[in-house]
């Protein structure tokens, strides 16, 4: 951590120099000013952690300076004319502290240290809030609250700033395209084009046009293991040199883009079968991002289902269908072979059924084109459902366990036993 920076403002040169000596002897950095009128400019340039200013100065007093500052670091005012009204006025206008001359150097250093610590803590919190605001956008797209999803979002944030290629793996319908879009949107290329294509459906002649359309941004190649063999050397050249060339073109064209790719296949098997070049796979997988299947994060099903119901109902300008406990039990018992995409389709069907005046989630699942089987593990489904209900009750009652137990219709002791048995972290829920 860098040494704290203190902006010292005092029109008395001897006092100013004395304060500089004190601050620098403590191992900090000081910037002395003779006039408070210069403070605004130096706050921007010097970025102090603390402002140490005399009260009585020509042109602009310490209290007038305090009133004029917005979003400034802590201000410690010192004065040889200390009196209670002046001190009260200083504190009412936001001064961190008020010190009378002659002052005890150790006490002044302690005050300045605490002020600097407070400022840095506030800056750290502001950075964290900024990251959380950024993450809130990611949360709305990569939805869920299970550990797998938290890790996925954290990895996306880490990889977003890196311009290397990323290979995204995961089952069909798990959300690989959403992860790719999030990587692009959070990256420095986020304001540039995002071009998504199915690698199995493009030809060598189409690649230059596609690369040009993604210039400056991101090219997302889905189903990369199904990429035509004759296209793969061109992709290698695009990745290695940023060059593409149409048939008959004498000189290659240079483009700048980041390449993301995705597959639901075993890449090792694709290489062994001769369908994917090993050197191309090596370049595409500078980093690897795995999107977990929905069955591995069943606790996310209720919040995903509700979001999809809301989205679908808004599209049809309908009221959102109620998500009953029976609906939740059915959803939690399903194996979701089609992953998040399947759940979205089920929610769409449920909304269409509501539009016709009826329907349940069981009805919507029965009409599922995948005809997916119901999970045979009833115990696992019940446990997941109980975790969801208990978590919601604890959150709804702000951690008041007696109220949560009453809302669930069980005793406090039973609730405590279930929390332990189900591995719930009460503190993490609040």
């Amino acid at each position: 951590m860098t040494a704290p920076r203190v902006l010292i403002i005092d029109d008395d040169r001897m006092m100013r120099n004395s304060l500089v000596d004190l601050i620098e002897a403590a191992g900090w950095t000081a910037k002395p000013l003779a006039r408070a009128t210069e403070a605004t400019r130096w706050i921007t340039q010097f970025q102090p952690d603390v402002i140490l200013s005399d009260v009585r100065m020509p042109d602009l007093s310490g209290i007038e300076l305090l009133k004029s500052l917005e979003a400034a670091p802590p201000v410690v005012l010192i004065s040889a004319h200390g009196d209670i009204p002046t001190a009260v006025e200083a504190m009412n206008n936001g001064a961190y502290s008020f010190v009378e001359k002659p002052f005890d150097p150790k006490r002044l250093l302690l005050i300045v240290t605490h002020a600097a610590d407070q400022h840095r803590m506030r800056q750290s919190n502001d950075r964290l809030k900024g990251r959380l605001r950024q993450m809130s956008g990611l949360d709305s797209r990569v939805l869920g609250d299970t550990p797998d999803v938290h890790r996925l979002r954290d990895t996306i944030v880490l990889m977003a700033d890196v311009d290397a290629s990323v290979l995204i793996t995961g089952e069909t319908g798990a959300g690989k395209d959403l992860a790719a879009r999030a990587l692009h949107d959070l990256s420095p290329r986020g304001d540039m084009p995002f071009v998504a294509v199915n690698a199995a459906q493009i030809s060598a002649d189409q690649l230059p046009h596609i690369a040009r359309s993604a210039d400056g941004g991101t090219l997302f190649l889905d189903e990369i293991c199904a990429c035509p063999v004759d296209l793969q050397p061109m992709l290698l050249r695009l990745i290695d040199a940023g060059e593409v060339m149409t048939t008959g073109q004498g000189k290659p064209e240079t483009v700048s883009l980041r390449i993301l790719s995705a597959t639901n296949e075993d890449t090792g098997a694709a290489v062994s079968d001769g369908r994917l070049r090993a050197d191309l796979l090596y370049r595409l997988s500078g980093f690897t991002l795995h999107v977990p299947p929905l069955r591995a994060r069943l606790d996310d099903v209720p919040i995903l289902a509700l979001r999809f119901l809301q989205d679908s109902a808004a599209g049809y300008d309908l009221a959102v269908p109620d998500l009953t406990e029976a609906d939740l039990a059915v959803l939690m018992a399903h194996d979701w072979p089609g992953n998040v995409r399947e759940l979205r389709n089920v929610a769409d069907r449920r909304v269409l059924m509501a539009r016709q005046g009826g329907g349940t989630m069981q009805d919507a699942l029965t009409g599922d084109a995948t005809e997916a089987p119901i999970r045979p593990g009833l115990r696992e489904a019940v446990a997941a459902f109980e975790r969801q209900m208990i978590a919601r009750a604890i959150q709804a009652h702000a951690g008041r366990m007696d109220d949560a137990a009453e809302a669930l219709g069980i005793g406090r002791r039973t609730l405590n036993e279930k929390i332990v048995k189900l591995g719930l972290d009460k503190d993490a829920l609040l």
Side-chain angles (χ1 to χ4, degrees), residues 150-162:
H150 280 289
R151 282 192 292 271
L152 176 62
R153 286 195 293 256
D154 288 344
T155 305
I156 287 173
V157 171
L158 288 173
M159 291 183 177
D161 284 336
V162 181

Side-chain angles (χ1 to χ4, degrees), residues 72-144:
V75 177
V76 176
L77 292 177
I78 55 178
S79 176
H81 308 279
D83 55 61
I84 292 177
T86 303
V88 170
E89 183 181 7
M91 302 305 286
N92 286 341
N93 281 283
Y96 179 82
S97 186
F98 183 89
V99 180
E100 295 182 32
K101 298 177 184 177
F103 50 79
D104 178 2
K106 290 184 179 179
R107 179 172 178 268
L108 181 62
L109 281 178
L110 185 62
I111 291 172
V112 172
T113 299
H114 289 167
D117 289 345
Q118 184 187 78
H119 177 61
R120 292 191 166 196
M121 184 177 296
R122 185 168 65 241
Q123 286 185 315
S124 177
N125 288 337
D126 288 344
R127 285 192 294 269
L128 177 59
K129 289 176 183 177
R131 183 172 181 272
L132 290 175
R133 284 193 296 270
Q134 183 186 59
M135 286 295 291
S136 68
L138 182 57
D139 289 350
S140 67
R141 287 180 290 174
V142 185
L143 200 64

Side-chain angles (χ1 to χ4, degrees), residues 17-70:
N17 291 341
S18 176
L19 289 170
V20 169
D21 290 342
L22 178 65
I23 295 301
E24 292 182 345
W28 298 355
T29 303
K31 171 62 185 176
L33 297 178
R35 293 288 186 272
T37 51
E38 303 177 59
T40 302
R41 176 168 66 92
W42 281 103
I43 288 173
T44 302
Q45 291 185 225
F46 184 58
Q47 295 188 343
D49 296 296
V50 184
I51 297 174
L52 187 56
S53 174
D54 197 357
V55 171
R56 295 196 177 184
M57 293 182 295
D59 301 328
L60 191 70
S61 72
I63 291 181
E64 289 171 336
L65 169 66
L66 188 61
K67 293 178 180 179
S68 70
L69 296 177
E70 294 183 7

Side-chain angles (χ1 to χ4, degrees), residues 275-288:
R275 294 183 292 115
L276 183 65
R277 291 178 54 146
D279 51 356
L280 177 58
L281 174 61
Y282 175 77
R283 287 165 176 79
L284 289 171
S285 56
F287 292 93
T288 301

Side-chain angles (χ1 to χ4, degrees), residues 289-340:
L289 180 68
H290 180 68
V291 180
L294 186 54
R295 65 179 174 277
R297 53 185 188 105
L298 278 176
D299 285 353
D300 287 331
V301 168
I303 190 172
L304 286 167
L306 180 58
R307 168 61 65 82
F308 295 156
L309 286 171
Q310 291 171 340
D311 290 348
S312 182
Y316 292 107
D317 196 22
L318 298 172
V320 180
D322 291 333
L323 196 57
T324 67
E325 292 187 9
D327 288 333
L328 286 173
V330 167
L331 295 177
M332 298 295 285
H334 192 59
D335 198 39
W336 301 110
N339 291 294
V340 176

Side-chain angles (χ1 to χ4, degrees), residues 194-269:
F194 176 81
V195 178
V197 296
N198 188 317
Q201 299 176 357
I202 59 175
S203 66
D205 288 338
Q206 291 172 326
L207 183 60
H209 171 72
I210 293 170
R212 282 195 295 269
S213 64
D215 192 14
T218 301
L219 174 59
F220 174 48
L221 300 169
D222 199 5
E223 296 188 28
I224 191 62
C225 288
C227 179
V229 175
D230 64 338
L231 180 65
Q232 295 184 28
M234 293 185 66
L235 278 178
L236 275 171
R237 183 170 186 170
L238 178 59
I239 297 170
D240 286 342
E243 294 179 348
V244 288
M245 187 166 62
T246 57
T247 303
Q249 184 179 359
K251 184 179 179 180
E253 184 175 351
T254 301
V255 293
S256 170
L257 47 79
R258 183 188 194 185
I259 293 184
L260 307 177
S261 56
T263 183
N264 60 3
E265 295 189 47
D266 181 339
T267 54

Side-chain angles (χ1 to χ4, degrees), residues 318 321 349-360 363:
L318 298 172
R349 282 195 291 274
R350 174 68 185 92
V351 169
L352 289 175
M353 290 175 179
R355 187 181 187 183
Q356 298 169 354
T360 65
D363 297 331

